[in-house]
Amino acid sequence: MTRIVHIGPGAFHRAHQAIYTEDAADGWQITGVSLRSADFADALIKQNGRYTLVTRGTDGIEYRQVTAMSKALAIANGRGPVLDALTQADTRIISLTITEKGYAPPFDASSAITLLVQALQMRKDAGRPGVTLLSCDNLTDNGAVLQKAVTGAAPSDLADWIAAHVRFPSTMVDRITPATTAELRAEVAEQAGWADEIPVETEAFSQWVIEDNFAAGRPDWEHAGAELVPDVAPYEQMKLRMLNGAHSMLAYCGHLTGKVYVRDVMADPALAALVARHMDAAAATLDPGTGLNPSAYRDQLLTRFRNPHIAHKTYQIAMDGSQKMPQRMFAPAQDAVRRGQDVTPFSFATACWLHYLGGRTDAGDAYALRDPREAELAALPSHPKDRVDALFALPDLLPAALAADPDFRAKTAAYLLAITQHGLMATTKEDAHV
């Protein structure tokens, strides 16, 4: 039963939500919809709906063929078949992994939000039942973010129908999933014995926390290990601040200092110490009384980051910083200021990002920023204090109270000056002992 249509069937979806759906073992399957090239859809069709999941645990490597995706479509091959899949009466869930920038207006005709509004209008006009729109992106309160984007882009009569018939549960997703490489394809061909154009590699750990609020049923994801809860917020806040925040910090440090993978960063004692420090600072900003255990989570994260079998590129994590830093860095920094806590780790991470925006590693190698706000970020002045002042003045980036905090601003400027004068690695080694 193909009851789920997923927009954005990249490596993460195929290593995460697709696996939970297959392991639920109750017959639900997925149609994947690519908004970019038709390469994925063509490959999945060629492979009869199969792809390989390579799981790299500390105790070995597993090769598994996955068949959860019964069909694949691409906008590049025509909008009609995609809209038909989205508007079928049997389609109960439309899920998305479109990255943080996919939720930011304006929405052009090729965007996921425009596509959803068109499909919901067609469902309404045809008298089709309601549906659940399920965001699986790393966004705080992602269900509400998706709801705001969709209803904001819809005409008023459709917005009323959406309010009555569509649900937007929030989710928290977690599984480290590097991008697919030619090396991975070659490994699968040798070890698993078949030529797979779209294999995925991932770690053994996986977590999915879902707000149990669905319009027309769902798979038995609990059977596969998902957590269905009334409130996702405490889980997502801990993950965004401790895992994703530390990931961003180490990605900028790592890429700038020639460390290609997360595991390389963790092999450096100075950098590893700063990663642990950042997690501790982020944990201190979390709301107490949630029943979660940030200390145990920290230890688990450090073990995962050190996994020598996962080739997660720092440059991959570093992209789209303007969309990630507000949630991962600036929100906890603002809470630290409000509570009178030390903002040093957040200032250090912000300075690393600012240095990264210069577009050159410490060895002098140039790279693309790969950010939706690349033009304005690349135009920031070069002098450290002026650079900080200009970044803090950009709209829709830092919370006003944080941008106005003199301690956070001064520490960020001081770190950036030190990095500019002495290099990131020297500054990092010095700061690891603070």
Side-chain angles (χ1 to χ4, degrees), residues 11-21 23 53-57 62 64 172-177 200-210 221-222 224-227 235 239 243 297 300-301 304 307 310:
F12 180 75
H13 169 72
R14 286 181 279 133
H16 191 271
Q17 299 100 43
I19 304 304
Y20 282 94
T21 301
D23 288 348
L53 180 72
V54 181
T55 304
R56 303 189 190 279
E62 176 190 40
R64 168 182 174 180
M172 191 280 280
V173 297
D174 188 6
R175 196 171 204 186
I176 295 171
T177 309
V200 183
E201 65 177 328
T202 191
E203 62 177 335
F205 177 89
S206 185
Q207 186 179 21
W208 195 10
V209 184
I210 312 167
W221 282 320
E222 301 100 320
E227 301 170 74
Y235 298 87
K239 189 250 183 176
L243 187 158
Y297 188 59
Q300 184 185 62
L301 290 177
R304 293 170 62 195
N307 187 338
I310 293 293

Side-chain angles (χ1 to χ4, degrees), residues 32-54:
V33 173
S34 175
L35 300 184
R36 298 178 181 175
S37 75
D39 292 349
F40 166 75
D42 293 344
L44 194 72
I45 292 167
K46 177 181 176 183
Q47 296 175 188
N48 297 315
R50 299 181 302 157
Y51 65 89
T52 308
L53 180 72
V54 181

Side-chain angles (χ1 to χ4, degrees), residues 5-319:
V5 176
H6 183 83
I7 299 174
F12 180 75
H13 169 72
R14 286 181 279 133
H16 191 271
Q17 299 100 43
I19 304 304
Y20 282 94
T21 301
E22 182 159 291
D23 288 348
D26 55 3
W28 287 57
Q29 288 195 297
I30 303 165
T31 293
V33 173
S34 175
L35 300 184
R36 298 178 181 175
S37 75
D39 292 349
F40 166 75
D42 293 344
L44 194 72
I45 292 167
K46 177 181 176 183
Q47 296 175 188
N48 297 315
R50 299 181 302 157
Y51 65 89
T52 308
L53 180 72
V54 181
T55 304
R56 303 189 190 279
T58 55
D59 55 351
I61 303 174
E62 176 190 40
Y63 300 89
R64 168 182 174 180
Q65 284 197 9
V66 181
T67 58
M69 304 190 74
S70 62
K71 190 174 182 180
L73 302 169
I75 286 288
N77 291 334
R79 199 176 186 89
V82 173
L83 286 169
D84 184 60
L86 292 170
T87 56
Q88 287 294 312
D90 286 342
T91 296
R92 310 293 180 83
I93 297 171
I94 302 171
S95 53
L96 306 92
T97 45
I98 56 174
T99 76
E100 292 93 333
K101 60 188 174 185
Y103 300 84
F107 305 115
D108 61 28
S110 64
S111 72
I113 301 303
T114 299
L115 183 67
L116 287 174
V117 170
Q118 185 178 0
L120 291 174
Q121 183 71 62
M122 292 172 67
R123 291 184 76 93
K124 172 182 177 292
D125 293 346
R128 299 280 167 81
V131 69
T132 298
L133 301 189
L134 187 69
S135 171
C136 300
D137 283 296
N138 278 318
L139 289 165
T140 300
D141 203 10
N142 56 11
V145 172
L146 176 58
Q147 183 174 14
K148 180 180 179 181
V150 170
T151 56
S156 58
D157 62 330
L158 178 60
D160 291 341
W161 183 87
I162 291 170
H165 298 281
V166 180
R167 297 292 178 268
F168 298 85
S170 288
T171 68
M172 191 280 280
V173 297
D174 188 6
R175 196 171 204 186
I176 295 171
T177 309
T180 298
T181 62
E183 291 78 10
L184 180 64
R185 295 185 185 95
E187 177 188 341
V188 169
E190 179 180 350
Q191 299 296 328
W194 73 298
D196 188 348
E197 296 180 22
I198 49 172
V200 183
E201 65 177 328
T202 191
E203 62 177 335
F205 177 89
S206 185
Q207 186 179 21
W208 195 10
V209 184
I210 312 167
E211 179 188 357
D212 198 0
N213 177 27
F214 287 78
R218 57 172 175 79
D220 184 13
W221 282 320
E222 301 100 320
H223 179 76
E227 301 170 74
L228 277 293
V229 300
D231 184 12
V232 173
Y235 298 87
E236 68 182 8
Q237 188 178 68
M238 185 168 72
K239 189 250 183 176
L240 279 166
R241 296 186 176 193
M242 294 183 67
L243 187 158
N244 297 124
H247 244 181
S248 287
M249 186 275 285
L250 72 82
Y252 300 128
C253 288
H255 182 68
L256 286 164
T257 56
K259 292 174 172 55
V260 176
Y261 302 114
V262 171
R263 66 194 184 197
D264 301 331
V265 174
M266 298 305 294
D268 184 294
L271 287 175
L274 292 178
V275 171
R277 181 186 74 166
H278 190 95
M279 289 180 185
D280 289 338
T285 70
L286 299 175
D287 295 330
T290 61
L292 302 180
N293 188 337
S295 178
Y297 188 59
R298 168 193 184 271
D299 294 344
Q300 184 185 62
L301 290 177
L302 292 173
T303 298
R304 293 170 62 195
F305 285 8
R306 292 189 187 105
N307 187 338
H309 305 297
I310 293 293
H312 200 182
K313 289 188 175 182
T314 53
Y315 187 45
Q316 177 190 355
I317 301 167
M319 69 186 298

